[in-house]
């Protein structure tokens, strides 16, 4: 699985595991919970820090890059989705969310 993001012509390994969550908690001084867009970008940054030993990517440079390359969050979400699907497959799941129903027809009060 390709867990690499390219930022400013440098490739960074992305680690979305516990290490990234611990870094996130230490940066935010609160329990890990993604509630805002800022939280999402900080988690992406922490995932990059967790996947790379050197800390040469500064947060301000990272945010400047994200501002100019807004597709990076989509690339990160693809990495997360692949990880979730792989984990689900390895645990014997079918990759579908449990307890969700598909809407077969438009609701009557639909505008």
């Amino acid at each position: 699985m390709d867990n690499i993001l390219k930022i400013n012509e440098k490739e960074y390994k992305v680690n979305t595991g516990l290490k990234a969550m611990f870094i996130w908690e230490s940066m935010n001084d609160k329990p890990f919970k993604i509630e805002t867009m800022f939280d999402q970008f900080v988690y992406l940054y922490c995932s990059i820090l967790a996947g790379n030993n050197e800390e040469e990517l500064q947060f301000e440079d990272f945010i400047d890059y994200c501002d100019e390359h807004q597709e990076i969050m989509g690339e990160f979400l693809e990495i997360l989705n692949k990880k979730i699907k792989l984990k689900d497959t390895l645990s014997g799941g079918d990759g579908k969310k449990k307890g969700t129903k598909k809407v077969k027809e438009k609701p009557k009060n639909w505008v």
Side-chain angles (χ1 to χ4, degrees):
M1 181 157 48
D2 192 25
N3 292 343
I4 304 291
L5 288 177
K6 194 170 186 177
I7 298 174
N8 292 328
E9 302 304 317
K10 182 170 177 15
E11 290 187 345
Y12 292 94
K13 184 175 186 233
V14 177
N15 176 352
T16 58
L18 283 176
K19 186 175 181 181
M21 293 178 205
F22 292 155
I23 294 170
W24 190 95
E25 287 184 348
S26 69
M27 286 180 74
N28 290 292
D29 199 30
K30 64 180 184 178
F32 180 79
K33 186 174 183 184
I34 305 294
E35 297 178 302
T36 66
M37 186 183 337
F38 178 76
D39 291 344
Q40 291 175 350
F41 281 91
V42 172
Y43 182 50
L44 170 52
Y45 180 69
C46 293
S47 297
I48 291 169
L49 293 181
N52 301 276
N53 292 330
E54 68 277 351
E55 293 185 29
E56 62 185 65
L57 180 61
Q58 298 298 313
F59 186 71
E60 187 173 331
D61 296 333
F62 166 75
I63 292 299
D64 287 343
Y65 181 86
C66 291
D67 196 30
E68 295 173 13
H69 302 87
Q70 296 178 8
E71 70 278 359
I72 193 165
M73 183 53 73
E75 294 171 16
F76 178 59
L77 293 174
E78 284 180 30
I79 291 171
L80 283 174
N81 284 332
K82 287 179 186 176
K83 181 179 179 179
I84 291 167
K85 286 179 184 176
L86 177 63
K87 184 178 178 184
D88 190 54
T89 300
L90 293 176
S91 67
D94 60 5
K96 297 179 181 174
K97 288 184 179 180
K98 307 294 183 229
T100 58
K101 295 180 181 179
K102 291 183 180 179
V103 177
K104 294 183 180 180
E105 60 184 56
K106 195 168 36 172
K108 292 177 184 174
N109 59 354
W110 186 265
V111 178

